Amino acid sequence: MRIALIGCGAVTQAVYVPLLSRRRDLFEVTAVCDLSRTLADAAGDRLGAPGRHTDVDDLLAAGGFEAVLVLASGSHGETVRRALAAGYAVLCEKPLALTRAEVAALPEGRLMVGYMKQYDPAVRRAEELLAELGGPGVIRSVEVTVLHPSGESQLAFANLTQARDVDAGLLESLRAAERELMTRAVGESAPVRSLYGIALGSICHDLSLLRRFTGSPAAISHVETWGPAPGSVEISGPLPAQGRFSIRWHYLEDYPAYRETVAVHHDTGTLELVFPSPYLMNAPTTLTVVSGAESRNEYRDVTEAFEVQLAAFHAFVNDGKPPLTDAGGALEDIVTAQRIAARYAEQHELPIGGEAA
């Protein structure tokens, strides 16, 4: 399947370029696009892509591919809208958008939203085991802890190409557009905007796992933040069937390594997932199954979740196999993030605006 890449930054260089290089049985990258010609050329050279662009409209008009991977930073709503309107299938990295309005504006088309942890073999095994136990109705609680060091430390090994050739005026206009989207989402309060950015930029992975295990949270009961920005975040509330969830997310600049733990406590035991840094290819997620007589069984699989996700996109486009997250699932996460922002504003007597109001 011939594809094009939009966005050639850190995740593209560290994850997608190596995976697409070794999955030439599934994909041929014919074009790449980035605001930085340096980054576009670097990715294009590594993938053997003849098309090099610095403008999305130019890329879409030139064609020569059936599908687009939207991997740029920030809100992806407008880029996805243009790609779908041009008739291309789209795999979009999370978050799909910053506002509900951007999702509502999307035309009909083939869209898959990338939450790679949903495709992790350990997560899929946990889903199967939970179904055998009786599903969401047996869950007592879901407890999430994320220890998040700096992105620079996580990517130090990757020898990334840096972009220094993007016009400063263009960058500022894009940042202004992003700020306007944030205002439309949650209003003007700086603490609320910061929290919303964390929720959609990082905690959304945990929201996506809750969607798979239990369904999206029924409500948000409590939200707190503390520590130097971006600091720590605590979120809790009821689950749709029964039980409660809690998420504790900590940005720790100098923490030794990224670590994310998701524990599903049920009536007869625990399913515990421990995720490594997402940038380490083929580093296994560990699933520990705690059952009768305090038996503990560990499950690991070095199959890369991002690679499984790419194969699922290929099957979606060519065979019509539905993705785990479509526009509807991505919209659920946006709504949940806005509920988190609104609850935080209410608790701390901060103004809330935009869609979250």
Side-chain angles (χ1 to χ4, degrees), residues 24-74:
R24 296 181 191 270
D25 57 319
L26 296 180
F27 301 101
E28 176 189 359
V29 181
T30 64
V32 297
C33 180
D34 194 276
L35 293 174
S36 165
R37 183 66 192 225
T38 298
L39 295 191
D41 284 340
D45 288 347
R46 291 177 65 186
L47 293 167
R52 317 284 174 87
H53 302 270
T54 56
D55 181 85
V56 170
D57 288 332
D58 290 345
L59 169 81
L60 298 176
F65 45 85
E66 295 98 55
V68 175
L69 273 58
V70 179
L71 311 175
S73 59

Side-chain angles (χ1 to χ4, degrees), residues 11 26 42 49 58 92 124 145 158 162 187 197 246 249 265 274 286 307 330 342:
V11 174
L26 296 180
D58 290 345
C92 174
R124 304 309 297 274
T145 302
Q162 302 298 319
S246 65
W249 183 95
H265 302 296
V274 179
T286 301
E307 185 171 351

Side-chain angles (χ1 to χ4, degrees), residues 270-274 286-290 296-299:
T270 297
L271 304 171
E272 182 185 77
L273 293 154
V274 179
T286 301
L287 168 62
T288 302
V289 181
V290 182
R296 292 177 177 266
N297 297 306
E298 288 193 353
Y299 171 80

